[in-house]
Amino acid sequence: MSVLTLRLAGPLQSWGATARFTRRTTESAPTKSGVIGLLAAARGIRRGDDEQLKPLAALRFGVRIDQPGTRLRDFQTAIHWETDKSMPLSERFYLADAVFVAALEGELDLLTNLHTALKAPVYPPFLGRRSCPPAHPVDLQLHPDRNLLQALAGEPWQASPWYTRRHRKTPVITLPVLLEASPDSLEAETLRDQPLSFAAEHRRHALRTIVRRDVDIPHPLAAPSPPRHDPFAVLPDEDA
């Protein structure tokens, strides 16, 4: 197996898994359906093409939270373009200034194709919603012969410079990781986030399982530890 890693960073992100009607929430980390949708857009897969979607949806997914960001709530109004009537007030949630490393595990040929597509996408990528463009190119690296956790533990810390400076006294940063698990895992959580169809008239998602792990990442700019003060160092050695 091989792993493709992505850097998901931007002013705003929104990854809904249970959004309904006028209340559009966001998860605290990117969803598999959102990231698979990003990759499908890069490949030029149409929304109703469920057969082309299947190989992407079969990839195993994981995400590392490098910078959790801040949750924001926004109220939006709209006017119906045909009737000029006001639409219901909607409540929408976003993550501001967040950074994540997403990873997908699968066959090398498919991941290589996706990596190439991200460099010249057919449709532009966005971070959960069309109003949330990424701040940087999303592709990071292709890791042959690595599993999901190894790739997420091996990527350098991707947080913003201002955020890393806040933690410069911590030489090793512990970051939470959410991994897709086998359905029979006893410690797994479930989320309706396994994409089955992105067809506009009837989107469908199944349940998938998630386990939580932590990985330790070296701080690239950590301040060196001050020398330990020994008050007895100035005294003569009695054995001399």
Side-chain angles (χ1 to χ4, degrees):
M1 286 293 173
S2 301
V3 176
L4 174 65
T5 52
L6 314 175
R7 183 178 190 266
L8 305 177
L12 292 175
Q13 305 185 38
S14 188
W15 306 97
T18 57
R20 291 292 185 273
F21 306 110
T22 59
R23 182 177 173 86
R24 302 299 179 90
T25 58
T26 179
E27 300 296 316
S28 59
T31 57
K32 179 178 182 179
S33 58
V35 174
I36 293 299
L38 183 154
L39 294 170
R43 283 274 302 272
I45 298 175
R46 308 289 293 185
R47 281 188 176 273
D49 194 341
D50 297 343
E51 289 302 314
Q52 290 287 332
L53 177 65
K54 283 182 180 179
L56 276 64
L59 296 169
R60 186 169 171 241
F61 177 72
V63 62
R64 190 181 78 190
I65 303 174
D66 285 36
Q67 184 174 320
T70 304
R71 192 178 297 267
L72 297 179
R73 182 173 63 174
D74 183 35
F75 293 99
Q76 296 186 10
T77 60
I79 301 294
H80 194 283
W81 69 278
E82 287 184 325
T83 64
D84 287 335
K85 292 183 178 181
S86 296
M87 302 295 288
L89 180 70
S90 64
E91 188 180 18
R92 305 189 180 220
F93 292 81
Y94 299 88
L95 298 174
D97 295 326
V99 181
F100 305 98
V101 174
L104 299 116
E105 180 186 88
E107 296 296 333
L108 180 59
D109 289 345
L110 175 58
L111 295 179
T112 300
N113 186 287
L114 292 173
H115 193 210
T116 301
L118 288 171
K119 295 179 182 298
V122 176
Y123 302 111
F126 51 86
L127 305 179
R129 290 191 188 142
R130 291 190 184 92
S131 59
C132 302
H136 308 279
V138 299
D139 62 295
L140 269 179
Q141 294 189 64
L142 190 59
H143 302 270
D145 302 322
R146 281 195 180 186
N147 64 33
L148 205 57
L149 187 58
Q150 289 171 341
L152 288 170
E155 284 289 358
W157 196 21
Q158 299 293 320
S160 304
W162 65 266
Y163 190 81
T164 60
R165 286 194 295 269
R166 288 185 177 180
H167 301 81
R168 60 183 179 273
K169 294 183 179 180
T170 307
V172 177
I173 304 296
T174 300
L175 301 176
V177 169
L178 307 178
L179 295 173
E180 189 168 345
S182 59
D184 57 352
S185 178
L186 297 178
E187 56 179 328
E189 307 170 24
T190 58
L191 185 67
R192 189 165 294 281
D193 182 39
Q194 176 64 32
L196 300 176
S197 176
F198 289 143
E201 61 276 10
H202 186 57
R203 299 183 186 183
R204 292 182 293 121
H205 299 81
L207 292 174
R208 71 180 183 92
T209 53
I210 302 168
V211 293
R212 297 177 182 267
R213 296 287 185 267
D214 289 328
V215 294
D216 292 331
I217 307 296
H219 192 316
L221 303 174
S225 301
R228 183 174 178 270
H229 175 60
D230 183 3
F232 297 101
V234 297
L235 300 178
D237 189 351
E238 295 181 356
D239 296 332

